[in-house]
């Protein structure tokens, strides 16, 4: 197919005007710049917000918005015990002192993870010390993992994931009671699950299934839900789905648009347990899972309550328009534009961005990235991302639904309001604001407030005790 003369499509120059940090954050505007426009005003500023842009003053740990966002996630996790303020800020100083890059970021956080798996100074570590040092190690390995494809050792990605997974499993084994570790059938690749309970009694309780997004790790589900659930007498289930954790980095299973086929086996597994009330199973979705979880709830009516954090109905729109324009109806034409016009002009940092963003949707792209190469098939993963759109099924959701939004939502601006408007069942919409320090995608600086909002709503919707 030939390109239509009046529609020249994306040019190399146009693509290269997209900031590296902006692409990595899937549309994130640089600090201090306005968010990308959306179809509704839901990304607008709130009264009482601080001056100085989305991350004013001390909220700017790094000048690059993508690194800054990840640093804020690590810092905000301290309230749940899954990081330490002094450790994170010392790492930030080390990275900035050495010069911010993927290499310095990966090296610094990997070494921090390694250090935490050794004994601290003083007396021999007891089980509680080992437990929370392992949790923090999982956080820091996850931080390193996010940028490893841009480092000089991209082939260490799987091993770095396994280091974080080992730390997470160590933490889970030392919980009281220990998390139940199991696998749940899913096609030819079982889903690993971690089931947390307030105690070992068999009393049926409400249970929340915590769904991660496109690049989070299990430790994030601790920060964004497990303690809040346990403190309210709820059970909490954490799992790896396609495109996540073990299924991505080890089993090489990428995302699927039919997320109900992932969640329904989890509901089956939970419903068979005597300590789960099958009438009170809630489902949350963090980040891109604000698209996945609603999709599952649209097809599985056993989900009694749903929270989208934030609401997302078209993940493909989270990519800058310059990237989206590459995709044409034809695979050959699309890949021809990508390989001949775009790839030769991409700086190394921008290439690393694309490797990271596309690996959960293409095992070949992930394997090429681990060899230091940029994928040549843009069409297949881009088509998979576009297929995640749930615009046609949101109206089927019957469960009471809470849709969260955030000031300066940089991934999916406007989409939470679009989801809320499309819902036909019981629904609530709530925006977390900069005035509360809860701005940006998933409120990285305020996960405690985030959990308070979510679990107060869940407790009201599906009373626990």
């Amino acid at each position: 197919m030939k390109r239509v003369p009046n529609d020249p499509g994306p040019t190399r120059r146009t693509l290269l005007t997209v900031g590296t940090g902006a692409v990595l954050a899937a549309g994130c505007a640089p600090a201090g710049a306005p968010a990308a426009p959306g179809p509704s005003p839901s990304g607008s500023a709130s009264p009482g917000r601080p001056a100085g842009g989305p991350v004013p003053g001390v909220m700017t740990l790094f000048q690059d918005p993508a690194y800054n966002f990840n640093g804020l996630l690590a810092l905000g996790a301290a309230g749940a015990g899954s990081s330490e303020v002094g450790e994170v800020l010392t790492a930030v100083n080390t990275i900035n002192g050495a010069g911010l890059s993927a290499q310095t970021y990966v090296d610094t956080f990997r070494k921090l993870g390694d250090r935490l798996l050794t004994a601290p100074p003083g007396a021999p570590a007891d089980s509680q010390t080992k437990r929370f040092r392992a949790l923090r190690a999982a956080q820091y390995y996850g931080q390193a993992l996010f940028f490893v494809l841009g480092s000089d050792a991209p082939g260490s990605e799987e091993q770095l994931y396994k280091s974080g997974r080992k730390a997470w499993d160590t933490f889970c084994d030392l919980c009281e009671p220990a998390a139940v570790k199991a696998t749940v059938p899913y096609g030819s690749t079982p889903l690993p699950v971690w089931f947390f309970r307030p105690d070992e009694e068999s009393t049926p309780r409400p249970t929340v299934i915590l769904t991660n997004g496109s690049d989070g790790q299990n430790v994030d589900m601790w920060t964004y839900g497990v303690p809040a659930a346990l403190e309210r007498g709820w059970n909490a289930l954490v799992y790896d789905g396609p495109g996540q954790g073990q299924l991505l980095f080890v089993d090489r299973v990428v995302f699927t648009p039919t997320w109900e086929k992932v969640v329904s086996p989890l509901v089956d597994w939970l419903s068979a347990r005597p300590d789960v009330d099958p009438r009170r199973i809630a489902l949350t979705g963090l980040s891109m899972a604000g698209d996945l979880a609603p999709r599952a709830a649209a097809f599985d009516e056993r989900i009694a309550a749903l929270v989208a954090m934030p609401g997302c109905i078209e993940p493909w729109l989270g990519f800058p328009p310059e990237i989206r324009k590459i995709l044409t109806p034809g695979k050959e034409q699309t890949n021809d534009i990508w390989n001949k016009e775009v790839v030769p002009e991409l700086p190394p940092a921008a290439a690393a961005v694309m490797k990271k963003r596309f690996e959960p949707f293409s095992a070949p792209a992930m394997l090429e990235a681990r060899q230091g190469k940029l994928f040549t098939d843009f069409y297949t993963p881009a088509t998979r991302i576009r297929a995640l759109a749930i615009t046609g099924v949101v109206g089927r959701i019957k469960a009471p639904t809470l849709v969260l939004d955030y000031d300066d939502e940089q991934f999916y601006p406007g989409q939470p309001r679009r989801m809320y408007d499309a819902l036909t069942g019981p629904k609530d919409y709530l925006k977390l604001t900069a005035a509360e320090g809860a701005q940006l995608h998933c409120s990285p600086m305020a996960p405690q407030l985030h959990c308070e909002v979510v679990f107060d709503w869940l407790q009201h919707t599906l009373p626990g005790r």
Side-chain angles (χ1 to χ4, degrees):
M1 292 180 63
K2 292 185 178 180
R3 195 177 301 154
V4 179
N6 292 332
D7 181 16
T11 65
R12 290 171 289 184
R13 182 175 298 277
T14 301
L15 269 172
L16 295 177
T17 62
V18 182
T20 299
V23 184
L24 185 54
C28 175
S40 85
S42 66
S44 59
S46 297
R49 64 179 303 136
V55 285
V58 296
M59 296 177 183
T60 300
L61 306 177
F62 301 108
Q63 291 303 313
D64 184 291
Y67 287 95
N68 196 62
F69 181 72
N70 276 269
L72 291 176
L73 282 168
L75 191 62
S82 41
S83 75
E84 178 82 293
V85 171
E87 291 169 348
V88 174
L89 293 181
T90 299
V92 168
N93 284 340
T94 299
I95 293 164
N96 282 327
L100 175 62
S101 68
Q103 191 63 48
T104 58
Y105 200 97
V106 171
D107 286 346
T108 300
F109 276 106
R110 178 193 279 130
K111 290 175 183 176
L112 183 51
D114 290 344
R115 191 181 79 205
L116 285 169
L117 294 183
T118 63
D126 64 16
S127 60
Q128 284 295 88
T129 295
K130 291 178 181 178
R131 176 190 176 202
F132 279 101
R133 284 174 73 87
L135 181 64
R136 302 202 308 275
Q139 171 72 241
Y140 304 141
Y141 284 129
Q143 288 289 321
L145 179 64
F146 193 89
F147 293 102
V148 72
L149 292 182
S151 74
D152 62 8
S156 67
E157 182 182 49
E158 182 175 337
Q159 185 55 53
L160 188 51
Y161 162 73
K162 288 180 177 178
S163 295
R165 168 66 180 273
K166 182 179 179 180
W168 168 254
D169 281 334
T170 297
F171 166 76
C172 291
D173 290 342
L174 292 171
C175 286
E176 298 177 2
V180 175
K181 295 190 292 188
T183 57
V184 172
Y186 173 74
S188 60
T189 310
L191 308 176
V193 301
W194 296 263
F195 181 67
F196 295 86
R197 307 152 291 164
D199 55 48
E200 296 183 275
E201 295 180 6
S202 58
T203 304
R205 295 186 179 91
T207 300
V208 60
I209 302 173
L210 302 167
T211 306
N212 218 332
S214 65
D215 46 40
Q217 301 303 314
N218 289 323
V219 64
D220 300 322
M221 295 296 91
W222 178 266
T223 302
Y224 281 89
V226 176
L230 298 178
E231 289 160 5
R232 289 164 174 79
W234 285 51
N235 304 313
L237 185 75
V238 175
Y239 69 101
D240 284 344
Q244 301 170 329
Q246 178 181 309
L247 268 75
L248 174 64
F249 295 114
V250 180
D251 301 327
R252 303 173 186 175
V253 179
V254 299
F255 272 113
T256 174
T258 54
W259 206 256
E260 68 277 11
K261 295 180 181 179
V262 180
V263 168
S264 290
L266 301 176
V267 177
D268 293 340
W269 187 83
L270 288 170
S271 298
R273 292 188 60 89
D275 51 2
V276 172
D277 184 344
R279 301 165 301 172
R280 295 186 292 173
I281 296 177
L283 178 65
T284 70
L286 185 71
S287 191
M288 198 189 79
D291 168 275
L292 304 175
R295 164 78 194 204
F299 290 91
D300 195 326
E301 295 185 4
R302 294 175 296 174
I303 300 300
L306 170 69
V307 186
M309 314 180 305
C312 172
I313 56 177
E314 293 186 79
W316 183 229
L317 296 183
F319 288 79
E322 294 84 356
I323 297 299
R324 301 199 307 269
K325 287 178 183 177
I326 300 172
L327 183 60
T328 74
K331 181 175 182 178
E332 183 178 351
Q333 181 186 16
T334 295
N335 289 339
D336 192 55
I337 295 170
W338 170 249
N339 290 302
K340 294 182 179 180
E341 298 190 31
V342 179
V343 172
E345 300 282 351
L346 281 179
V353 163
M354 299 306 295
K355 294 172 186 176
K356 176 61 182 175
R357 279 300 172 201
F358 276 68
E359 71 169 348
F361 305 95
S362 169
M366 179 177 68
L367 296 177
E368 287 174 293
R370 291 177 179 178
Q371 297 172 12
K373 302 175 183 177
L374 188 58
F375 55 89
T376 57
D377 180 6
F378 178 94
Y379 180 87
T380 301
T383 301
R384 285 174 178 156
I385 300 167
R386 193 171 61 177
L388 292 172
I390 58 170
T391 49
V393 303
V394 172
R396 297 182 50 153
I397 298 172
K398 296 180 180 179
T401 301
L402 172 63
V403 179
L404 290 189
D405 199 353
Y406 312 95
D407 272 349
D408 304 301
E409 165 58 45
Q410 71 269 36
F411 279 57
Y412 311 117
Q415 294 202 41
R417 176 59 70 173
R418 288 179 62 194
M419 175 177 286
Y420 176 79
D421 290 343
L423 289 165
T424 58
K427 58 184 181 179
D428 290 291
Y429 169 93
L430 181 65
K431 176 181 281 189
L432 298 179
T433 69
E436 302 163 304
Q439 69 268 40
L440 300 177
H441 183 69
C442 299
S443 300
M445 296 174 285
Q448 292 182 83
L449 172 62
H450 198 279
C451 285
E452 289 164 1
V453 166
V454 169
F455 282 89
D456 283 351
W457 184 87
L458 285 175
Q459 186 81 342
H460 175 77
T461 305
L462 301 175
R465 290 173 176 159

PDB file of all heavy atoms in Angstrom, residues 68-93:
ATOM      1  N   ASN A  68      11.333  10.831  37.725  1.00  0.00           N
ATOM      2  CA  ASN A  68      10.755  11.479  38.899  1.00  0.00           C
ATOM      3  C   ASN A  68       9.511  10.740  39.375  1.00  0.00           C
ATOM      4  O   ASN A  68       9.313  10.523  40.568  1.00  0.00           O
ATOM      5  CB  ASN A  68      10.410  12.932  38.593  1.00  0.00           C
ATOM      6  CG  ASN A  68      10.172  13.735  39.861  1.00  0.00           C
ATOM      7  OD1 ASN A  68      11.057  13.891  40.690  1.00  0.00           O
ATOM      8  ND2 ASN A  68       8.956  14.212  40.038  1.00  0.00           N
ATOM      9  N   PHE A  69       8.685  10.343  38.430  1.00  0.00           N
ATOM     10  CA  PHE A  69       7.461   9.621  38.792  1.00  0.00           C
ATOM     11  C   PHE A  69       7.796   8.322  39.518  1.00  0.00           C
ATOM     12  O   PHE A  69       7.192   7.995  40.543  1.00  0.00           O
ATOM     13  CB  PHE A  69       6.635   9.337  37.532  1.00  0.00           C
ATOM     14  CG  PHE A  69       5.351   8.610  37.786  1.00  0.00           C
ATOM     15  CD1 PHE A  69       4.282   9.246  38.389  1.00  0.00           C
ATOM     16  CD2 PHE A  69       5.203   7.278  37.430  1.00  0.00           C
ATOM     17  CE1 PHE A  69       3.084   8.580  38.626  1.00  0.00           C
ATOM     18  CE2 PHE A  69       4.029   6.595  37.672  1.00  0.00           C
ATOM     19  CZ  PHE A  69       2.955   7.251  38.266  1.00  0.00           C
ATOM     20  N   ASN A  70       8.763   7.590  39.007  1.00  0.00           N
ATOM     21  CA  ASN A  70       9.153   6.341  39.657  1.00  0.00           C
ATOM     22  C   ASN A  70       9.770   6.593  41.027  1.00  0.00           C
ATOM     23  O   ASN A  70       9.524   5.850  41.978  1.00  0.00           O
ATOM     24  CB  ASN A  70      10.107   5.564  38.762  1.00  0.00           C
ATOM     25  CG  ASN A  70       9.378   4.737  37.731  1.00  0.00           C
ATOM     26  OD1 ASN A  70       9.047   3.587  37.949  1.00  0.00           O
ATOM     27  ND2 ASN A  70       9.090   5.338  36.585  1.00  0.00           N
ATOM     28  N   GLY A  71      10.581   7.652  41.136  1.00  0.00           N
ATOM     29  CA  GLY A  71      11.141   7.990  42.435  1.00  0.00           C
ATOM     30  C   GLY A  71      10.075   8.354  43.442  1.00  0.00           C
ATOM     31  O   GLY A  71      10.160   7.969  44.618  1.00  0.00           O
ATOM     32  N   LEU A  72       9.044   9.066  43.000  1.00  0.00           N
ATOM     33  CA  LEU A  72       7.941   9.426  43.900  1.00  0.00           C
ATOM     34  C   LEU A  72       7.169   8.190  44.348  1.00  0.00           C
ATOM     35  O   LEU A  72       6.717   8.111  45.496  1.00  0.00           O
ATOM     36  CB  LEU A  72       7.006  10.423  43.220  1.00  0.00           C
ATOM     37  CG  LEU A  72       7.577  11.824  42.979  1.00  0.00           C
ATOM     38  CD1 LEU A  72       6.575  12.671  42.196  1.00  0.00           C
ATOM     39  CD2 LEU A  72       7.936  12.514  44.292  1.00  0.00           C
ATOM     40  N   LEU A  73       6.998   7.223  43.445  1.00  0.00           N
ATOM     41  CA  LEU A  73       6.345   5.968  43.829  1.00  0.00           C
ATOM     42  C   LEU A  73       7.130   5.268  44.937  1.00  0.00           C
ATOM     43  O   LEU A  73       6.537   4.764  45.904  1.00  0.00           O
ATOM     44  CB  LEU A  73       6.224   5.040  42.616  1.00  0.00           C
ATOM     45  CG  LEU A  73       5.106   5.331  41.616  1.00  0.00           C
ATOM     46  CD1 LEU A  73       5.306   4.518  40.346  1.00  0.00           C
ATOM     47  CD2 LEU A  73       3.740   5.043  42.225  1.00  0.00           C
ATOM     48  N   ALA A  74       8.447   5.230  44.787  1.00  0.00           N
ATOM     49  CA  ALA A  74       9.277   4.597  45.819  1.00  0.00           C
ATOM     50  C   ALA A  74       9.178   5.350  47.128  1.00  0.00           C
ATOM     51  O   ALA A  74       9.047   4.756  48.199  1.00  0.00           O
ATOM     52  CB  ALA A  74      10.725   4.524  45.345  1.00  0.00           C
ATOM     53  N   LEU A  75       9.230   6.670  47.065  1.00  0.00           N
ATOM     54  CA  LEU A  75       9.161   7.475  48.281  1.00  0.00           C
ATOM     55  C   LEU A  75       7.815   7.341  48.966  1.00  0.00           C
ATOM     56  O   LEU A  75       7.725   7.172  50.184  1.00  0.00           O
ATOM     57  CB  LEU A  75       9.438   8.937  47.933  1.00  0.00           C
ATOM     58  CG  LEU A  75       9.676   9.904  49.095  1.00  0.00           C
ATOM     59  CD1 LEU A  75      10.906   9.498  49.891  1.00  0.00           C
ATOM     60  CD2 LEU A  75       9.825  11.320  48.569  1.00  0.00           C
ATOM     61  N   GLY A  76       6.741   7.379  48.192  1.00  0.00           N
ATOM     62  CA  GLY A  76       5.405   7.281  48.764  1.00  0.00           C
ATOM     63  C   GLY A  76       5.126   5.941  49.410  1.00  0.00           C
ATOM     64  O   GLY A  76       4.285   5.837  50.310  1.00  0.00           O
ATOM     65  N   ALA A  77       5.835   4.894  48.986  1.00  0.00           N
ATOM     66  CA  ALA A  77       5.608   3.555  49.531  1.00  0.00           C
ATOM     67  C   ALA A  77       6.073   3.421  50.975  1.00  0.00           C
ATOM     68  O   ALA A  77       5.774   2.420  51.634  1.00  0.00           O
ATOM     69  CB  ALA A  77       6.313   2.517  48.668  1.00  0.00           C
ATOM     70  N   ALA A  78       6.782   4.424  51.485  1.00  0.00           N
ATOM     71  CA  ALA A  78       7.303   4.335  52.849  1.00  0.00           C
ATOM     72  C   ALA A  78       6.191   4.177  53.876  1.00  0.00           C
ATOM     73  O   ALA A  78       6.365   3.515  54.898  1.00  0.00           O
ATOM     74  CB  ALA A  78       8.149   5.570  53.170  1.00  0.00           C
ATOM     75  N   GLY A  79       5.036   4.772  53.625  1.00  0.00           N
ATOM     76  CA  GLY A  79       3.940   4.679  54.581  1.00  0.00           C
ATOM     77  C   GLY A  79       3.444   3.261  54.795  1.00  0.00           C
ATOM     78  O   GLY A  79       2.893   2.953  55.854  1.00  0.00           O
ATOM     79  N   ALA A  80       3.644   2.400  53.813  1.00  0.00           N
ATOM     80  CA  ALA A  80       3.235   0.998  53.929  1.00  0.00           C
ATOM     81  C   ALA A  80       4.395   0.105  54.322  1.00  0.00           C
ATOM     82  O   ALA A  80       4.247  -1.119  54.368  1.00  0.00           O
ATOM     83  CB  ALA A  80       2.641   0.518  52.599  1.00  0.00           C
ATOM     84  N   GLY A  81       5.556   0.694  54.601  1.00  0.00           N
ATOM     85  CA  GLY A  81       6.714  -0.098  54.987  1.00  0.00           C
ATOM     86  C   GLY A  81       7.458  -0.697  53.823  1.00  0.00           C
ATOM     87  O   GLY A  81       8.425  -1.442  54.014  1.00  0.00           O
ATOM     88  N   SER A  82       7.039  -0.364  52.583  1.00  0.00           N
ATOM     89  CA  SER A  82       7.682  -0.962  51.421  1.00  0.00           C
ATOM     90  C   SER A  82       8.744  -0.055  50.818  1.00  0.00           C
ATOM     91  O   SER A  82       9.136  -0.238  49.657  1.00  0.00           O
ATOM     92  CB  SER A  82       6.643  -1.367  50.368  1.00  0.00           C
ATOM     93  OG  SER A  82       5.625  -0.404  50.225  1.00  0.00           O
ATOM     94  N   SER A  83       9.200   0.894  51.596  1.00  0.00           N
ATOM     95  CA  SER A  83      10.409   1.662  51.303  1.00  0.00           C
ATOM     96  C   SER A  83      10.764   2.396  52.587  1.00  0.00           C
ATOM     97  O   SER A  83      10.027   2.355  53.574  1.00  0.00           O
ATOM     98  CB  SER A  83      10.219   2.649  50.141  1.00  0.00           C
ATOM     99  OG  SER A  83       9.461   3.773  50.553  1.00  0.00           O
ATOM    100  N   GLU A  84      11.889   3.072  52.574  1.00  0.00           N
ATOM    101  CA  GLU A  84      12.337   3.886  53.706  1.00  0.00           C
ATOM    102  C   GLU A  84      12.718   5.246  53.146  1.00  0.00           C
ATOM    103  O   GLU A  84      13.465   5.336  52.164  1.00  0.00           O
ATOM    104  CB  GLU A  84      13.543   3.228  54.374  1.00  0.00           C
ATOM    105  CG  GLU A  84      14.131   3.993  55.532  1.00  0.00           C
ATOM    106  CD  GLU A  84      13.381   3.764  56.832  1.00  0.00           C
ATOM    107  OE1 GLU A  84      12.215   4.196  56.901  1.00  0.00           O
ATOM    108  OE2 GLU A  84      13.959   3.150  57.750  1.00  0.00           O
ATOM    109  N   VAL A  85      12.198   6.322  53.745  1.00  0.00           N
ATOM    110  CA  VAL A  85      12.427   7.662  53.220  1.00  0.00           C
ATOM    111  C   VAL A  85      13.919   7.943  53.052  1.00  0.00           C
ATOM    112  O   VAL A  85      14.372   8.406  52.000  1.00  0.00           O
ATOM    113  CB  VAL A  85      11.769   8.726  54.119  1.00  0.00           C
ATOM    114  CG1 VAL A  85      12.201  10.131  53.703  1.00  0.00           C
ATOM    115  CG2 VAL A  85      10.253   8.611  54.059  1.00  0.00           C
ATOM    116  N   GLY A  86      14.688   7.660  54.080  1.00  0.00           N
ATOM    117  CA  GLY A  86      16.120   7.942  54.021  1.00  0.00           C
ATOM    118  C   GLY A  86      16.826   7.139  52.951  1.00  0.00           C
ATOM    119  O   GLY A  86      17.746   7.648  52.290  1.00  0.00           O
ATOM    120  N   GLU A  87      16.413   5.887  52.767  1.00  0.00           N
ATOM    121  CA  GLU A  87      17.030   5.052  51.731  1.00  0.00           C
ATOM    122  C   GLU A  87      16.745   5.613  50.344  1.00  0.00           C
ATOM    123  O   GLU A  87      17.638   5.691  49.489  1.00  0.00           O
ATOM    124  CB  GLU A  87      16.515   3.616  51.842  1.00  0.00           C
ATOM    125  CG  GLU A  87      17.009   2.895  53.093  1.00  0.00           C
ATOM    126  CD  GLU A  87      16.298   1.575  53.351  1.00  0.00           C
ATOM    127  OE1 GLU A  87      15.265   1.302  52.691  1.00  0.00           O
ATOM    128  OE2 GLU A  87      16.767   0.823  54.219  1.00  0.00           O
ATOM    129  N   VAL A  88      15.490   5.996  50.112  1.00  0.00           N
ATOM    130  CA  VAL A  88      15.126   6.505  48.793  1.00  0.00           C
ATOM    131  C   VAL A  88      15.819   7.833  48.501  1.00  0.00           C
ATOM    132  O   VAL A  88      16.397   8.027  47.418  1.00  0.00           O
ATOM    133  CB  VAL A  88      13.597   6.662  48.674  1.00  0.00           C
ATOM    134  CG1 VAL A  88      13.230   7.329  47.347  1.00  0.00           C
ATOM    135  CG2 VAL A  88      12.907   5.303  48.781  1.00  0.00           C
ATOM    136  N   LEU A  89      15.791   8.749  49.461  1.00  0.00           N
ATOM    137  CA  LEU A  89      16.397  10.059  49.220  1.00  0.00           C
ATOM    138  C   LEU A  89      17.913   9.954  49.068  1.00  0.00           C
ATOM    139  O   LEU A  89      18.525  10.693  48.280  1.00  0.00           O
ATOM    140  CB  LEU A  89      16.032  11.020  50.342  1.00  0.00           C
ATOM    141  CG  LEU A  89      14.552  11.410  50.416  1.00  0.00           C
ATOM    142  CD1 LEU A  89      14.312  12.388  51.554  1.00  0.00           C
ATOM    143  CD2 LEU A  89      14.060  11.992  49.092  1.00  0.00           C
ATOM    144  N   THR A  90      18.530   9.038  49.799  1.00  0.00           N
ATOM    145  CA  THR A  90      19.969   8.822  49.624  1.00  0.00           C
ATOM    146  C   THR A  90      20.254   8.272  48.231  1.00  0.00           C
ATOM    147  O   THR A  90      21.229   8.676  47.568  1.00  0.00           O
ATOM    148  CB  THR A  90      20.505   7.858  50.697  1.00  0.00           C
ATOM    149  OG1 THR A  90      20.293   8.449  51.994  1.00  0.00           O
ATOM    150  CG2 THR A  90      21.992   7.602  50.513  1.00  0.00           C
ATOM    151  N   ALA A  91      19.407   7.359  47.763  1.00  0.00           N
ATOM    152  CA  ALA A  91      19.561   6.836  46.404  1.00  0.00           C
ATOM    153  C   ALA A  91      19.393   7.951  45.374  1.00  0.00           C
ATOM    154  O   ALA A  91      20.148   8.027  44.398  1.00  0.00           O
ATOM    155  CB  ALA A  91      18.553   5.719  46.151  1.00  0.00           C
ATOM    156  N   VAL A  92      18.419   8.834  45.601  1.00  0.00           N
ATOM    157  CA  VAL A  92      18.195   9.955  44.690  1.00  0.00           C
ATOM    158  C   VAL A  92      19.439  10.839  44.629  1.00  0.00           C
ATOM    159  O   VAL A  92      19.900  11.228  43.543  1.00  0.00           O
ATOM    160  CB  VAL A  92      16.966  10.769  45.128  1.00  0.00           C
ATOM    161  CG1 VAL A  92      16.882  12.091  44.369  1.00  0.00           C
ATOM    162  CG2 VAL A  92      15.693   9.964  44.909  1.00  0.00           C
ATOM    163  N   ASN A  93      20.001  11.147  45.781  1.00  0.00           N
ATOM    164  CA  ASN A  93      21.214  11.969  45.808  1.00  0.00           C
ATOM    165  C   ASN A  93      22.382  11.287  45.086  1.00  0.00           C
ATOM    166  O   ASN A  93      23.155  11.932  44.368  1.00  0.00           O
ATOM    167  CB  ASN A  93      21.609  12.282  47.248  1.00  0.00           C
ATOM    168  CG  ASN A  93      20.734  13.349  47.869  1.00  0.00           C
ATOM    169  OD1 ASN A  93      20.079  14.112  47.165  1.00  0.00           O
ATOM    170  ND2 ASN A  93      20.715  13.411  49.191  1.00  0.00           N
TER     171      ASN A  93
END
